[in-house]
Amino acid sequence: MKTILLIDDEPRMLDLLILYLEPAFHCKAIPSAKDALVYLEENHVDLVLLDIMMPEMDGWQACQEIRKFWDVPVIMLTAKGEQADIINGLNIGADDYILKPFDEEELLARINAVLRRTKVEEKVIFFEGLRLNKESFELYFQQEAISLTPKEFAMLALFLDYQNKVFSREHLISTVWGYNVSIEDRTIDSHVRNLREKLRKSGFPADEYLQTVWGIGYKWHRSVNRK
């Protein structure tokens, strides 16, 4: 499930956006642009919905800061409909512009259109301080490197790619080891146990996320209600 970062200083607007979007996306709502930039330093999101008129740091400033460090698509949300404002937002790096009040179907259509245009294979996965790089085969938790075997790395990448999906041991064997390979179920259990232990030693709360589904297999649990 893709994650959308909602940045708006109006609580009622954040609640409305969550109501519209949460059936299809995981939403993280933050009422301050400065706090949102801090959040982006440690967490991956797939798209940002950014209000313009906010105290401390407005949406134009926030968009410029986001563009300095991240390639995440940004959609500006505002009641300002002047052409000059729209052009300014697009020129500083926004991918689209939606005027308030907006229609739910239009909002979803624009989000999906931007995601299609910017769709690329994600080489780096972020999760609660974890950073997994598929190209360099590196894993970090809060700047500390975690050494994994190739199979442990492949399993963790699979879990992070498909959060909340339950994987049977047979599925894990065929995906990580390949077909026509004779591997016993307890080999999977051993690799999961070792993976949990390495994550724990780094300080990451592995037992909260890498969960056993009794009688079936394992899943990486992510609460859809966490904001």
Side-chain angles (χ1 to χ4, degrees):
M1 180 180 289
K2 292 189 180 297
T3 297
I4 297 181
L5 176 59
L6 312 175
I7 310 173
D8 196 309
D9 63 316
E10 297 181 17
R12 287 182 295 180
M13 178 56 64
L14 290 175
D15 289 341
L16 181 63
L17 289 169
I18 291 170
L19 179 66
Y20 285 168
L21 300 175
E22 276 227 314
F25 302 99
H26 169 72
C27 295
K28 174 68 180 181
I30 299 181
S32 159
K34 288 185 176 180
D35 291 343
L37 293 175
V38 173
Y39 179 83
L40 282 170
E41 291 177 359
E42 292 289 342
N43 298 274
H44 169 76
V45 302
D46 297 286
L47 184 141
V48 175
L49 281 180
L50 176 62
D51 185 42
I52 288 183
M53 303 305 293
M54 293 185 291
E56 294 188 318
M57 178 184 287
D58 63 32
W60 288 318
Q61 293 172 299
C63 185
Q64 288 176 313
E65 289 299 310
I66 290 171
R67 279 291 161 261
K68 288 180 183 178
F69 303 102
W70 299 283
D71 292 327
V72 60
V74 176
I75 297 178
M76 309 291 278
L77 286 174
T78 184
K80 297 173 69 65
E82 291 83 359
Q83 186 179 26
D85 293 322
I86 295 175
I87 293 173
N88 183 45
L90 295 174
N91 283 339
I92 64 175
D95 294 273
D96 203 350
Y97 212 104
I98 300 179
L99 298 179
K100 300 176 182 177
F102 46 79
D103 176 76
E104 177 183 358
E105 292 186 359
E106 179 190 5
L107 176 65
L108 288 169
R110 287 183 177 272
I111 288 173
N112 286 323
V114 169
L115 288 174
R116 283 195 301 270
R117 290 200 302 267
T118 58
K119 185 178 181 181
V120 294
E121 182 183 356
E122 293 182 2
K123 301 297 184 182
V124 181
I125 304 174
F126 297 87
F127 184 91
E128 298 295 328
L130 284 177
R131 185 173 81 253
L132 182 145
N133 190 314
K134 295 180 182 178
E135 288 191 327
S136 62
F137 291 92
E138 294 175 322
L139 175 68
Y140 288 85
F141 177 61
Q142 297 180 345
Q143 310 308 316
E144 178 184 341
I146 304 174
S147 179
L148 300 181
T149 68
K151 299 302 184 188
E152 292 165 354
F153 189 93
M155 289 179 67
L156 180 59
L158 186 66
F159 287 134
L160 290 173
D161 273 335
Y162 298 95
Q163 296 168 29
N164 285 332
K165 175 179 174 63
V166 179
F167 289 94
S168 67
R169 290 172 176 82
E170 292 78 11
H171 191 156
L172 289 171
I173 290 171
S174 63
T175 302
V176 176
W177 274 263
Y179 292 99
N180 300 319
V181 176
S182 179
I183 298 291
E184 296 183 356
D185 286 356
R186 64 172 175 264
T187 301
I188 296 294
D189 299 335
S190 176
H191 277 72
V192 170
R193 185 167 57 250
N194 292 339
L195 178 57
R196 281 181 178 142
E197 182 61 24
K198 290 179 179 181
L199 292 172
R200 284 193 211 105
K201 284 184 177 179
S202 74
F204 182 80
D207 297 304
E208 180 179 347
Y209 299 108
L210 182 45
Q211 298 183 354
T212 300
V213 181
W214 298 108
I216 303 177
Y218 300 95
K219 73 173 182 178
W220 190 273
H221 175 71
R222 177 174 193 165
S223 173
V224 296
N225 294 320
R226 191 170 69 248
K227 304 290 186 288

